[in-house]
C-alpha cells in the first residue's frame, strides 16, 4: 500500500509502462463523507489534490510519482477504467455493482451480475485484490458484485483488453476490486440512512413468521434440520414413501412458523447503518495500519408481476400454458464487515485483508391464475423460503522492491462461500368452478388430479477457493521490463438439493375436504397417522424426489505460468506482449443416494494464451492503442450439473448440461484517445471477438419450461465505444456561489452487435439425448448472443464545489433490448425471451456541513425517477407474452455520515 499523501499510484508493471507511468490529478473535492475516507480534509478548507486510487492486481508492483499532465487510463497500455473512492461516491450507489454500471460498456443484470460489452456474466472475471472469489449462488461461478458495499472498496479497476498477468478466463473483461488499507490519519465514521420505495414501502406485502431473529439475517435455530431428517440425509438409502421413517420425517416439517403466509398491509421502509474506523502506528521506518468497517442494511421489495408461458406460437390468453399474477415480497438483510492490516516500509508493503459478507433473503410469494390452457380453472400457490448467503475471504499479499530494478509480488488467499436454504415450501390449491361440492373452493389435493404435490426443499452449497501466486519483474535496461509469474487456484464445491413431495391417496371426498385446510394444519403430525384410525381412508406419503440427482461435487484445478515484456520501441511507440500457459482440470461428480458415484464431467485442457498491445503517441495529448489476444471461458459449475434449481427472481427453473465444452475467444480492438485537459478526455474505440463454442441458454420441456445450456458452433461480436469527460468552470458567471463551482459532464456510449454462426451440418451435445443433435434445432443462425444489448448509454451531469463537499449529480442510463433466453425449442421454434431495461434517471445530492466542529455528509437520492418497469417478454404475431413483467418503484433515500 502506498501512502495517499505521496500522491502515488500502485499499479502492476503489467499494466503501466515504467517509462511513461503517471498518476491522476484532480481538483475535485475528496469523498469526505464516504465511509472510510481520509478525514484530513475539511469542508471549511480547500480540498487537497485527490490521492490516486490504490490498486492491487496480479503482477510486479511499481511506485509511480504523480504528475499533473497524465491520467491513469492514458498511461496504461491496456484499455482500463479506474473508479476511485471519489468517483464511486459521486454515483451515490450503495454497492459496487451499481457504481460499475456507470462504466463504459458495462451493464448490471439481475442481482449484481456485471456484463462487459454485452457478454454474459460467464465472460466476466471478478477479483478481490487480485485473488479469485467463489460465488454463493448455485447458478453462478462469478460472485454477484452487489454483495460488496462501496464503503469497503478503495478502487475498482475494469480492464477490457487482455494481458497475460490476468487469468485466461477473460472473455469480456476483468473487474478487480481493491479494499481499503492503511489510512493517512486516524478516523471514525458513523452513518445511517432510510429509504422509501413507492412500490413497496407502506404498501401491501407478504411475509411469514420464521423466527424472532429474522430481522438480523440470522436464524435462531427454528430452521434447524429435525434429527429424523438429518439422520436420513446422512444415510445412503432411499426411504419408502409410506414407511414409518417417512411419516416420522413428514410429521415434523410443516409448522405455522414456516408454512403460513401472512399479509402485511404496510411494509416497513428500508434502512441501513454503517461504521468504519482506522488508524496507523509509526514504528521507526515501519508504518502499521489498521482499518475496519461494518455495515447492516434491511431492504424490502414487493413485486406485483405478470408471469406467462406459452407452448406454441400464439399469445392468445386462452392458449397460454400458464397465466399468473404473482405478488412476492423479498426482505433482504445484508451484514458486512472488513478488517485490514498493513505494514509498510520504504517501497515494500504487506497487506492482510479479511472480508465477511452475509446476505439473507426472506422470500414470500402468492400466485393466482390459470394453467394448461384452461382459463376456466383457477390456481393459487404460495411459497415461503429463506435464502442465506455468506462469503468469508482472507488474503495476504506482499509487494517488495528488491532493488531499483526488481520487484516481487506474493499473494495467497482462502475464500469460502455458502448458501443455505432450509424449509423452502411450495403449496398449490385449485378451484375447478365446475358446480361440484368443492368446485367453488380452493383445494390442495396434494399431487392428485391437476394439483402438484406440496414440496419442501433443503439445499446447501459450500465452495472453497484456495489461491496463490508469485510475480517477479525486472528492468533489464531503461524503458524495458520483463515479468514472469505463476498462479494456482483450486475450487471445490459441494451442492446438495434435496426435495421432498407430499402426496395424498385414499377417498377423494376426504382428500378434497382436508384440502380446504391451510398447509400447516393439513400436514400437522396427526394427519400422517390418521389412516391408522379405523375406517379413515386417507394416507399421506413423503417421497424423496431428488434422491438420484440431489448431491453433486464439483472441482476446478488451475495451474498457470506467464511471461511478458513491456517497454518503449521508440519514443512514441510502446509494446506490452506476453503469453500465458494454463492447465485446468474441471470435473463434476453425481452422488445419487443408494448408488455409486458417477463422474458426469471430466474436462482436461491446456491453452497457450498470447496477448499483444501496441500504444502509439501521436502527440503529447493523443494516442492510439491496438490489442490482440486469445482467451477462454470455461463452463460454470451450475451449467454442468444436471440438477434442477428454481430461481424466484427470474421465475425460471435451471438445469445443467454435463456435455458442455470450453469456449475460446479471439479478440482484437483499437482505440483512439485525446486528453485535451486535466481530467478531460475523449476516446473512441472498436472491438471484435470471434467465439468458438459459445455457451448459450435454451428453453426446453413443453410443460416444465426448463432453462438449460448447450454449445453453439460459433459467434461473432463487434462494436464501438465512445467516452467523453469534460469540466466547465463556472467562476466566469460571477458571484460567490459560482466562484469555486464547475460542471462535471461524463458520457459514454457502447454499440454492440453479435451473431451466432450455425451451419446446416453443425451439431451440439445435449445431455439425455439419445443421439447428437443438430445445432440448427436449438440455435438460429444470425441470432444475437444471450445477454447482449445493442445500445448502452450512460450520462452524468453534475455540479460540484472544488473547495468543499457539495455535489449535485443527475445520472441517466439506457440499455436497449437484449435476449435473456432462447424461446422454447422442440416441435415449434419460439422467439427469444427479451428483456428491455430502457431509460432510467437517478439524482444524487451530497452536501458537507459542520456541526459542533464535526464533519457531516448529508446525501439525498432519487432512483428510477422514470418509474421504468422490468419488462421480460416474448413477441408473437398476435401479441405479447409477459414472461416476467412487473413495476419497479421510485426509490427515495436520505442518509447522513458523521466523521470523528
Amino acid at each position: 500500500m502506498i501512502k495517499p499523501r505521496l500522491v502515488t499510484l500502485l499499479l502492476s508493471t503489467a499494466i503501466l509502462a515504467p517509462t511513461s507511468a503517471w498518476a491522476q490529478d484532480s481538483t475535485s473535492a475528496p469523498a469526505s463523507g464516504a465511509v472510510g475516507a481520509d478525514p484530513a480534509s475539511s469542508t471549511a478548507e480547500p480540498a487537497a489534490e485527490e490521492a490516486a486510487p490504490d490498486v492491487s492486481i496480479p503482477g510486479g508492483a511499481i511506485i509511480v510519482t504523480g504528475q499533473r499532465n497524465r491520467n491513469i487510463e492514458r498511461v496504461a497500455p491496456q484499455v482500463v477504467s479506474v473508479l476511485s473512492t471519489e468517483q464511486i461516491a459521486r454515483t451515490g450507489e450503495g454497492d459496487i455493482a451499481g457504481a460499475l454500471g456507470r462504466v463504459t460498456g458495462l451493464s448490471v443484470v439481475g442481482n449484481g451480475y456485471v456484463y462487459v460489452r454485452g457478454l454474459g456474466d460467464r465472460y466476466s472475471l471478478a477479483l478481490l485484490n487480485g485473488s479469485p472469489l467463489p460465488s454463493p449462488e448455485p447458478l453462478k461461478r462469478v460472485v454477484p458484485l452487489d454483495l460488496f458495499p462501496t464503503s469497503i472498496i478503495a478502487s475498482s479497476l475494469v480492464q477490457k483488453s487482455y494481458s497475460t498477468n490476468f487469468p485466461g478466463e477473460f472473455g469480456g473483461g476483468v473487474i478487480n476490486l481493491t479494499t481499503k488499507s492503511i489510512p493517512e490519519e486516524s478516523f471514525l465514521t458513523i452513518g445511517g440512512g432510510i429509504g422509501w420505495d413507492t412500490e413497496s414501502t407502506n404498501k401491501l406485502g407478504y411475509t411469514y413468521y420464521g423466527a424472532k431473529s429474522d430481522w438480523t439475517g440470522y436464524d435462531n435455530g427454528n430452521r434447524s434440520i429435525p434429527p429424523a431428517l438429518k439422520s436420513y440425509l446422512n444415510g445412503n438409502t432411499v426411504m419408502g414413501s409410506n414407511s414409518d421413517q417417512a411419516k416420522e420425517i413428514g410429521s415434523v416439517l410443516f409448522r405455522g412458523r414456516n408454512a403460513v403466509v401472512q399479509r402485511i398491509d404496510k411494509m416497513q421502509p428500508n434502512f441501513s447503518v454503517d461504521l468504519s474506523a482506522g488508524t496507523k502506528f509509526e514504528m521507526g521506518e515501519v508504518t502499521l495500519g489498521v482499518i475496519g468497517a461494518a455495515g447492516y442494511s434491511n431492504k424490502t421489495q414487493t413485486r406485483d408481476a405478470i408471469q406467462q408461458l406459452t407452448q406454441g406460437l400464439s399469445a392468445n390468453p386462452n392458449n397460454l400454458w400458464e397465466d399468473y399474477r404473482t405478488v412476492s415480497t423479498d426482505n433482504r438483510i445484508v451484514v458486512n464487515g472488513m478488517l485490514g492490516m498493513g505494514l509498510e516500509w520504504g517501497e515494500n508493503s504487506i497487506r492482510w485483508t479479511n472480508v465477511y459478507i452475509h446476505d439473507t433473503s426472506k422470500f414470500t410469494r402468492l400466485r393466482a391464475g390459470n394453467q394448461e390452457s384452461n382459463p376456466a380453472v383457477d390456481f393459487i400457490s404460495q411459497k415461503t423460503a429463506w435464502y442465506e448467503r455468506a462469503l468469508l475471504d482472507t488474503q495476504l499479499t506482499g509487494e517488495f522492491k528488491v532493488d531499483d530494478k526488481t520487484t516481487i509480488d506474493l499473494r495467497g488467499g482462502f475464500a469460502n462461500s455458502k448458501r443455505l436454504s432450509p424449509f423452502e415450501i411450495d403449496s398449490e390449491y385449485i378451484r375447478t368452478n365446475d358446480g361440484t361440492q368443492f368446485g367453488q373452493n380452493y383445494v390442495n389435493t396434494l399431487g392428485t388430479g391437476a394439483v402438484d404435490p406440496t414440496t419442501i426443499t433443503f439445499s446447501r452449497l459450500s465452495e472453497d477457493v484456495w489461491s496463490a501466486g508469485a510475480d517477479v519483474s525486472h528492468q533489464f535496461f531503461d524503458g524495458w521490463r520483463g515479468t514472469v509469474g505463476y498462479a494456482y487456484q483450486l475450487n471445490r464445491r459441494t451442492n446438495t438439493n434435496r426435495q421432498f413431495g407430499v402426496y395424498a391417496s385414499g377417498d377423494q371426498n376426504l382428500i378434497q375436504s382436508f384440502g380446504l385446510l391451510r398447509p400447516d394444519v393439513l400436514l400437522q403430525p396427526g394427519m400422517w397417522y390418521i389412516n391408522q384410525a379405523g375406517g379413515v381412508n386417507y394416507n399421506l406419503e413423503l417421497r424423496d424426489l431428488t434422491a438420484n440427482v440431489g448431491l453433486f461435487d464439483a472441482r476446478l484445478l488451475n495451474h498457470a505460468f506467464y511471461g511478458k515484456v513491456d517497454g518503449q520501441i521508440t519514443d512514441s511507440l510502446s509494446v506490452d506482449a506476453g503469453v500465458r500457459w494454463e492447465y485446468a482440470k474441471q470435473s463434476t461428480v453425481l452422488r445419487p443416494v443408494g448408488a455409486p458415484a458417477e463422474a458426469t464431467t471430466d474436462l482436461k485442457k491446456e491453452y497457450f494464451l498470447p496477448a499483444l498491445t501496441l500504444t502509439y503517441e501521436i502527440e503529447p495529448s493523443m494516442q492510439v492503442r491496438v490489442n490482440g489476444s486469445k482467451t477462454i471461458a470455461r463452463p460454470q459449475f451450475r451449467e454442468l450439473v444436471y440438477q434442477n434449481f428454481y430461481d424466484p427472481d427470474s421465475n425460471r427453473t435451471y438445469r445443467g448440461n454435463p456435455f458442455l465444452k470450453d469456449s475460446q475467444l479471439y479478440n482484437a480492438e483499437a482505440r483512439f484517445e485525446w486528453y485535451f485537459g486535466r481530467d478531460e478526455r475523449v476516446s473512441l474505440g472498436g472491438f471484435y471477438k470471434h467465439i468458438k463454442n459459445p455457451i448459450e441458454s435454451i428453453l426446453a420441456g413443453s410443460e416444465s419450461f426448463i432453462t438449460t445450456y448447450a454449445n453453439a458452433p460459433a459467434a461473432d461480436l463487434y462494436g464501438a465505444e465512445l467516452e467523453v469527460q469534460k469540466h466547465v468552470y463556472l467562476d466566469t458567471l460571477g458571484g460567490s456561489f459560482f466562484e469555486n463551482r464547475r460542471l462535471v459532464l461524463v458520457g459514454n456510449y457502447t454499440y454492440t452487435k453479435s451473431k451466432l454462426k450455425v451451419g446446416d451440418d453443425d451439431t451440439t451435445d445435449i445431455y439425455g439425448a439419445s443421439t447428437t443433435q443438430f445445432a440448427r434445432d436449438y440455435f438460429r443462425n444470425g441470432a444475437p448472443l444471450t445477454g447482449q444489448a445493442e445500445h448502452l448509454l450512460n450520462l452524468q451531469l453534475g455540479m460540484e464545489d472544488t473547495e468543499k463537499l457539495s455535489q449535485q449529480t443527475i445520472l441517466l442510463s439506457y440499455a436497449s433490448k437484449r435476449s435473456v433466453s432462447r424461446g422454447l425449442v422442440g416441435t415449434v421454434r419460439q422467439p427469444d425471451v427479451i428483456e428491455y431495461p430502457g431509460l432510467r434517471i437517478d439524482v444524487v445530492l451530497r452536501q458537507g456541513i459542520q456541526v459542533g466542529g464535526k464533519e457531516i455528509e448529508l446525501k439525498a437520492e432519487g432512483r428510477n425517477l422514470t418509474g421504468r418497469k422490468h419488462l421480460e417478454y416474448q413477441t408473437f404475431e398476435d401479441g405479447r407474452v409477459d414472461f416476467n413483467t412487473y413495476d419497479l418503484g421510485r426509490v427515495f433515500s436520505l442518509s447522513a455520515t458523521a466523521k470523528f
Side-chain angles (χ1 to χ4, degrees), residues 220-246:
N220 64 1
N222 278 0
R223 296 181 179 88
S224 297
I225 297 178
L229 177 58
K230 183 181 293 186
S231 175
Y232 172 68
L233 294 177
N234 290 334
N236 194 33
T237 304
V238 181
M239 67 182 177
S241 60
N242 266 317
S243 65
D244 292 340
Q245 184 183 29

Side-chain angles (χ1 to χ4, degrees), residues 14 60 195 204 222 333 410 414 440 489 503 536 577 697 732 759 777 796 832:
L204 182 144
N222 278 0
I333 305 104
L410 302 174
F414 170 76
Q440 301 306 309
Q489 181 179 337
Y503 293 78
V536 179
S697 61
T732 57
D777 293 336
Q796 290 187 35
D832 290 352

